[in-house]
Amino acid sequence: MNWRAVWAIYRVEMARAFRTVLQSIVSPVISTSLYFVVFGSAIGSSFAIYFPKFVGSIYELLSAPVSYLEIVIAYVGGAATKSIILGLIILATASLFVPLTIQHPFWMLAFLVLTAVTFSLFGFIIGIWAKSFEQLQLVPLLIITPLTFLGGSFYSINMLPETWRTVTLFNPVVYLISGFRWSFYGKSDVSVAVSLGMTMVFLAICIAIVAWIFRTGYRLRN
């Protein structure tokens, strides 16, 4: 493993985030503050891998003496780090509006890291798949946001009729939200073991897809 190469790519991604601090940190925090006033939650995402592909610099990276694993670790590591920082800032922002208690801080951090890494991998996949900015926004708009709103963000799924509760259990976001809710308040819609297991399954699926992308060169070499 060439950790110097990983660190170089990771450092570039973090530097880019801090150069655009207004867009990457301040804007989501302000949006979150307003969202808490109106609804009480927030959602944000970014797909850094799309931009090197868009401007063509991805081909220089692919031809460099850097393995695919190192590229993924660097990009996903950078995205996950930014997500964790933003999540902690949002948590601090939320504490200004509602009283917060964290009954299981270790598991809160564990779910935070797992969720950040998983969705960073998912974002990496979407960034490779997307051919335009419109496609880049399509999945978050039509899939991620509805799944989040229907995943028990504002209610317990136990409030739903049995049929809809069964349907909701096919939503992977349910398990992420339930795990976080348990880590904060000790209450959950599904057991924490199931939440953790389903999160790991989602992570494994994303890893498998990324491995397939690099093995086949899907939308990387054309």
Side-chain angles (χ1 to χ4, degrees):
M1 176 70 69
N2 187 349
W3 289 109
R4 290 186 177 180
V6 172
W7 172 247
I9 300 172
Y10 175 87
R11 188 174 56 186
V12 168
E13 284 302 301
M14 295 304 297
R16 183 178 61 82
F18 286 111
R19 283 198 304 268
T20 58
V21 66
L22 288 177
Q23 294 90 343
S24 60
I25 295 179
V26 176
S27 178
V29 169
I30 293 175
S31 299
T32 301
S33 302
L34 295 174
Y35 205 72
F36 262 103
V37 171
V38 180
F39 295 109
S41 185
I43 300 169
S45 62
S46 65
F47 305 125
I49 190 62
Y50 173 78
F51 299 100
K53 194 180 72 166
F54 177 74
V55 300
S57 61
I58 187 69
Y59 302 111
E60 298 177 4
L61 183 62
L62 292 174
S63 62
V66 182
S67 70
Y68 294 151
L69 177 61
E70 291 161 353
I71 293 174
V72 173
I73 290 176
Y75 273 108
V76 172
T81 300
K82 289 180 284 186
S83 298
I84 291 170
I85 292 173
L86 184 57
L88 293 175
I89 293 175
I90 288 175
L91 181 63
T93 304
S95 66
L96 301 176
F97 298 94
V98 294
L100 289 178
T101 58
I102 305 177
Q103 293 190 11
H104 307 282
F106 171 81
W107 287 108
M108 186 277 288
L109 290 174
F111 273 106
L112 177 62
V113 172
L114 279 174
T115 302
V117 172
T118 300
F119 274 91
S120 294
L121 278 167
F122 188 67
F124 189 94
I125 294 168
I126 301 303
I128 294 296
W129 169 80
K131 291 184 177 180
S132 65
F133 284 101
E134 289 75 16
Q135 286 187 344
L136 191 66
Q137 297 300 321
L138 189 65
V139 173
L141 180 64
L142 298 182
I143 298 179
I144 301 301
T145 299
L147 287 179
T148 302
F149 276 91
L150 297 174
S153 300
F154 307 111
Y155 56 86
S156 170
I157 65 172
N158 293 324
M159 299 170 59
L160 299 174
E162 184 177 352
T163 300
W164 285 109
R165 186 164 62 247
T166 302
V167 171
T168 302
L169 292 176
F170 288 93
N171 180 354
V173 179
V174 166
Y175 304 96
L176 301 176
I177 293 174
S178 182
F180 269 114
R181 182 175 289 138
W182 176 83
S183 68
F184 277 87
Y185 303 111
K187 299 178 181 178
S188 61
D189 293 328
V190 297
S191 73
V192 66
V194 173
S195 294
L196 183 62
M198 292 301 294
T199 303
M200 296 298 292
V201 167
F202 188 26
L203 175 63
I205 291 173
C206 289
I207 291 174
I209 294 174
V210 169
W212 174 81
I213 286 173
F214 280 109
R215 187 172 65 251
T216 62
Y218 174 76
R219 293 199 175 177
L220 286 175
R221 299 170 183 166
N222 51 26

